[in-house]
Amino acid sequence: MQITETAAVRATDSNPDMAPASISTYGRVSLSRFAWFTHACNVAVILWGAYVRATGSGAGCGSHWPLCNGEFLPMTSQTQTLIEFTHRATSASSLVLVATLLIWSWRRTARSEFPRYSAAVAAILLFNEALLGAMLVVFEHVGMDRSASRAVFLSLHFGNTLLLVAALTLTAKWFTNRPRPFASSAKWFERIAIVIGLFCVMATGMTGSLAALGDTIFPSATLKDALVQDFSSNSHALLRLRTLHPVVAVVAALYVLWMVRKLSKNREESSAVLPFLTGTLLAQAALGTLNVLLLAPVWLQLTHLLVAEILWILLVLASANLLEDSRSQISRS
């Protein structure tokens, strides 16, 4: 097996445009597993970042970055500092994992194949993620800061997060299957529908991050008080923006239903995502309702975010499957 692996690597290095069939199955499976492991680690980092925000621990390291309160390894027992430092440490590990994935992908794929470019996009987005996170800390848009600029940075941060998850999802998917060269795929109106639909889902996540920030900074004692805050002209903008989240979520749900309809008519590979997509959508709607009724406790915010990430991953996979199914139809016709 080692001889086969070495021969495949040497052949790939000597001819970058070589067909992917020459890459050994063992190497492809190992790379696929590493890609999914990197993907899972980044989702865990994202969830911990939400925990930092929900507990108001973003200022645990002060305005210092990348040091924590001016120290490389903070010697303190303060809970907020430990929470924030843990997030920074795990974020650094995710940088190492994504960099490794990029180098490994670049060595194992030809120039015309999808995974090397999706891995490169993931690396760029992760760098941007770190930059946005650093700016939040340096500009002190953490803790109980309620400025408009924090809302802007937070929205950009979460939008970048979703794009990062999408890039890692596609990289892992394409390594799970045999890497393919670039080719034309879906019809133009399907491409437009997919782009608009995914953008609406991203907008749902971004408005949800603002709603969660409002819940953290302006906690309510009762559901009645929360509703009054949402519609009062004297309330802070973050509170009035909370009503935008469910409205955008309804628009995004229409895209999910359209995707479900398309998948139900497509092939077995696409339809395999269908029951998970439908169940996750229903679970997310139920969690969103509970989040409002129970006044957004931290554990429920994190559960809501986790299911939102799973829904986003399934939508990215479903959209890719739809494009690939369309490409298959074109190639057979």
Side-chain angles (χ1 to χ4, degrees):
M1 181 63 72
Q2 291 180 350
I3 295 175
T4 304
E5 181 77 6
T6 303
V9 173
R10 288 178 178 173
T12 304
D13 290 339
S14 62
N15 185 7
D17 293 320
M18 179 190 58
S22 61
I23 300 176
S24 70
T25 302
Y26 175 80
R28 182 166 57 85
V29 171
S30 298
L31 186 49
S32 170
R33 289 175 179 174
F34 182 76
W36 282 115
F37 174 75
T38 301
H39 182 281
C41 288
N42 274 271
V43 171
V45 171
I46 292 166
L47 289 174
W48 191 260
Y51 182 69
V52 171
R53 189 264 314 146
T55 57
S57 302
C61 289
S63 59
H64 299 86
W65 194 95
L67 299 178
C68 184
N69 291 323
E71 299 176 320
F72 179 76
L73 184 64
M75 306 300 293
T76 179
S77 59
Q78 287 189 339
T79 303
Q80 289 188 337
T81 300
L82 294 176
I83 291 174
E84 169 64 9
F85 180 74
T86 300
H87 179 55
R88 294 190 184 189
T90 53
S91 298
S93 66
S94 69
L95 281 169
V96 174
L97 289 173
V98 172
T100 304
L101 178 63
L102 174 61
I103 296 171
W104 198 352
S105 301
W106 207 263
R107 289 184 58 84
R108 291 299 182 88
T109 56
R111 282 196 291 264
S112 60
E113 291 169 1
F114 284 110
R116 65 160 50 187
Y117 298 104
S118 58
V121 170
I124 294 171
L125 289 170
L126 186 56
F127 175 81
N128 195 47
E129 187 90 340
L131 179 61
L132 289 170
M135 293 174 71
L136 282 169
V137 172
V138 172
F139 294 149
E140 298 183 351
H141 295 322
V142 290
M144 295 295 112
D145 176 53
R146 58 185 70 180
S147 64
S149 54
R150 181 183 185 181
V152 173
F153 272 109
L154 190 64
S155 297
L156 293 175
H157 196 10
F158 196 80
N160 189 86
T161 296
L162 292 178
L163 292 175
L164 170 62
V165 171
L168 290 172
T169 299
L170 292 176
T171 303
K173 166 187 165 56
W174 287 327
F175 275 125
T176 300
N177 303 322
R178 188 173 295 279
R180 301 179 181 182
F182 287 110
S184 60
S185 50
K187 299 176 182 178
W188 66 269
F189 60 87
E190 289 181 331
R191 296 182 189 179
I192 293 176
I194 288 173
V195 170
I196 294 176
L198 291 177
F199 176 79
C200 289
V201 176
M202 286 183 61
T204 302
M206 294 163 71
T207 55
S209 67
L210 294 179
L213 179 62
D215 293 333
T216 300
I217 298 179
F218 305 100
S220 301
T222 64
L223 177 61
K224 180 181 178 180
D225 290 341
L227 293 176
V228 169
Q229 287 178 329
D230 289 346
F231 295 98
S232 173
S233 58
N234 296 324
S235 295
H236 193 274
L238 282 173
L239 294 175
R240 297 198 300 272
L241 282 173
R242 286 194 300 200
T243 57
L244 185 62
H245 177 57
V247 174
V248 179
V250 171
V251 179
L254 294 177
Y255 171 69
V256 178
L257 294 176
W258 176 81
M259 182 60 67
V260 167
R261 179 175 174 272
K262 294 292 293 185
L263 291 177
S264 64
K265 296 180 179 180
N266 273 349
R267 283 150 196 73
E268 184 176 351
E269 180 184 358
S270 296
S271 299
V273 184
L274 183 59
F276 299 101
L277 187 58
T278 306
T280 305
L281 176 63
L282 294 175
Q284 185 68 342
L287 288 170
T289 303
L290 278 177
N291 206 40
V292 173
L293 295 177
L294 299 181
L295 302 177
V298 173
W299 68 267
L300 188 53
Q301 289 185 45
L302 296 181
T303 305
H304 193 34
L305 176 60
L306 174 60
V307 177
E309 294 289 341
I310 294 173
L311 179 61
W312 172 251
I313 292 167
L314 290 173
L315 279 173
V316 171
L317 291 173
S319 301
N321 281 337
L322 181 60
L323 294 174
E324 290 174 2
D325 284 344
S326 299
R327 182 176 60 188
S328 299
Q329 291 176 358
I330 292 172
S331 62
R332 284 197 298 268
S333 61

